[in-house]
Amino acid sequence: MKFFVDTADIADISELADTGLLDGVTTNPSLIAKSRRDFIEVVTDICKIVEGPVSAEVTALDAAGMIAEGRKLAKIARNIAVKVPLTWDGLRACKTLTGEGTMVNVTLCFSANQALLAAKAGATFISPFIGRLDDINIDGMELIHEIRTIYDNYPALTTEILAASIRNANHVKDAAIAGADVATVPPAVLKGLVQHPLTDKGIELFLADWKKTGQKIL
């Protein structure tokens, strides 16, 4: 499974990119607002750090506006994925932009039927929002299973499932089990995946025993 980080914080992106484990970045208007920087400048800087897809979201609501904004965003860098909402206008924009060779991330997906439409429109990524479904007492992970089953039924559909609105490590694990192609996660969640109390305890014990030997490797 690919790991994308869901942030517009350049410092966090640089730190995670240095691990070699980061496959891409997703942003949205809310994350850009938190950066307090110019939208185009932030996205440009991110594309210089990360070689994989960088999602930049349109703000227009009509198809013509989305297409125009998407074309402008696509000129920033070759790894831009234009992010459009899952509406009829968004699907029309998706069809046009992907037809021009631009990666498109269709976002705010909350049903398998929506995901099927996005795939038919040629979406590069579909972003089902797990956490927001959980917030209203609907099993968000079940949606990942449903989309995976539908896409696997039709090999001609090449859209990748990008599990979004991930809140914790269990969401990441469950999305991987369900067959999501990508998980986009906040920096803190991604960094936290490496942590386990038994790992820490094991290191502590090994170092204590090593100290008793009085030896050094270097």
Side-chain angles (χ1 to χ4, degrees):
M1 186 168 69
K2 300 173 188 174
F3 284 125
F4 291 2
V5 65
D6 193 35
T7 186
D9 187 295
I10 298 298
D12 279 333
I13 294 169
S14 296
E15 179 185 355
L16 290 167
D18 285 344
T19 68
L21 300 174
L22 189 63
D23 300 295
V25 174
T26 54
T27 69
N28 58 48
S30 298
L31 293 172
I32 295 293
K34 288 180 182 178
S35 76
R36 300 181 182 275
R37 293 184 57 202
D38 177 78
F39 174 40
I40 300 298
E41 289 182 1
V42 173
V43 174
T44 300
D45 287 348
I46 295 172
C47 289
K48 291 177 181 177
I49 299 169
V50 179
E51 294 183 1
V54 175
S55 289
E57 190 162 346
V58 300
T59 56
L61 296 178
D62 62 296
M66 291 184 203
I67 292 167
E69 290 182 0
R71 286 170 175 163
K72 179 177 181 179
L73 293 173
K75 291 179 181 178
I76 294 174
R78 293 172 58 187
N79 56 330
I80 283 289
V82 175
K83 204 171 181 183
V84 302
L86 215 163
T87 62
W88 281 119
D89 283 279
L91 293 176
R92 288 172 59 195
C94 174
K95 189 69 173 178
T96 298
L97 292 169
T98 55
E100 296 173 353
T102 298
M103 291 187 291
V104 175
N105 178 356
V106 179
T107 190
L108 292 170
C109 172
F110 295 99
S111 77
N113 284 332
Q114 288 180 318
L116 180 56
L117 288 172
K120 291 282 289 181
T124 312
F125 303 103
I126 182 67
S127 291
F129 276 40
I130 298 166
R132 294 196 190 183
L133 284 171
D134 287 353
D135 289 344
I136 58 172
N137 296 317
I138 296 175
D139 185 359
M141 208 55 63
E142 181 60 27
L143 177 57
I144 303 295
H145 283 281
E146 291 175 352
I147 297 172
R148 180 77 278 158
T149 299
I150 291 171
Y151 284 6
D152 287 348
N153 283 343
Y154 305 99
L157 300 178
T158 58
T159 301
E160 294 189 28
I161 302 170
L162 193 163
S165 186
I166 284 181
R167 307 281 175 77
N168 52 59
N170 280 338
H171 272 165
V172 177
K173 177 195 69 175
D174 291 342
I177 291 171
D181 300 288
V182 187
T184 187
V185 297
V189 173
L190 186 53
K191 293 174 186 177
L193 294 181
V194 75
Q195 297 173 349
H196 195 285
L198 292 180
T199 300
D200 296 338
K201 184 64 174 178
I203 292 172
E204 181 183 335
L205 291 172
F206 290 156
L207 289 179
D209 288 340
W210 177 249
K211 187 176 181 179
K212 295 174 184 176
T213 72
Q215 302 179 54
K216 292 184 179 180
I217 296 176
L218 294 177

